[in-house]
Amino acid sequence: MDEKNLLDLFQIALQPINERLSGIEKRLGTLEHGQQEIEKRLGTLEHGQQEIEKRLDTLEHGQQEVEERLGTLEHGQQEIKNILQLVKEQTACASELQSPIGDVQKQVDDLALDLKILKRAITNQ
């Protein structure tokens, strides 16, 4: 066999290997493109995660403000309860004082009437 025939046979034998290598190179190109797409999507996800973390921070800050305001409202509510209790106690005391005053007023009115009757009796004699 001469060199040319040997070279042709060698090239024929290498042709399936070259085709396979070409297919592998295409697949590698596709894989590289896929990897780039995945990296882009990961970048987008990371950006989205940062946005979510910012929003969570904002929500946590808002929650702290709401809790502080609720604490203030609870304190105010307790003060109002204390004031209402004081008003109830003072109202009860006032009611207790009002009863004797009413009795005393009636006695004063009765005495005034008695004095009138005595004055008439004295002036009519």
Side-chain angles (χ1 to χ4, degrees):
M1 254 200 194
D2 67 354
E3 261 183 54
K4 181 162 176 16
N5 285 340
L6 193 55
L7 189 57
D8 286 342
L9 284 175
F10 187 68
Q11 285 180 350
I12 291 172
L14 287 178
Q15 188 173 1
I17 295 173
N18 286 336
E19 288 175 1
R20 289 182 123 191
L21 284 175
S22 177
I24 290 172
E25 287 173 349
K26 285 180 185 178
R27 287 181 186 162
L28 281 176
T30 304
L31 287 174
E32 287 174 356
H33 178 71
Q35 182 181 356
Q36 290 172 355
E37 286 297 315
I38 289 171
E39 288 173 355
K40 284 181 187 177
R41 289 182 182 177
L42 281 174
T44 302
L45 287 174
E46 288 172 352
H47 178 72
Q49 182 181 0
Q50 290 172 353
E51 287 297 316
I52 289 171
E53 288 172 356
K54 286 179 187 176
R55 289 181 182 175
L56 281 174
D57 288 343
T58 302
L59 286 174
E60 288 174 354
H61 180 71
Q63 180 182 4
Q64 288 174 349
E65 286 182 1
V66 167
E67 288 173 355
E68 288 173 5
R69 289 180 181 175
L70 282 174
T72 302
L73 288 174
E74 288 172 352
H75 179 72
Q77 182 183 18
Q78 187 59 44
E79 285 183 13
I80 290 171
K81 284 181 180 178
N82 293 341
I83 291 170
L84 283 175
Q85 183 62 34
L86 183 61
V87 167
K88 284 179 184 178
E89 291 170 2
Q90 289 178 349
T91 302
C93 287
S95 294
E96 290 172 3
L97 292 175
Q98 193 67 28
S99 293
I101 290 175
D103 292 342
V104 170
Q105 184 66 42
K106 186 175 184 302
Q107 289 174 358
V108 169
D109 291 342
D110 288 345
L111 286 174
L113 185 60
D114 289 346
L115 281 174
K116 275 185 178 179
I117 291 173
L118 283 174
K119 280 183 184 178
R120 274 190 205 157
I122 292 174
T123 52
N124 284 339
Q125 284 184 0

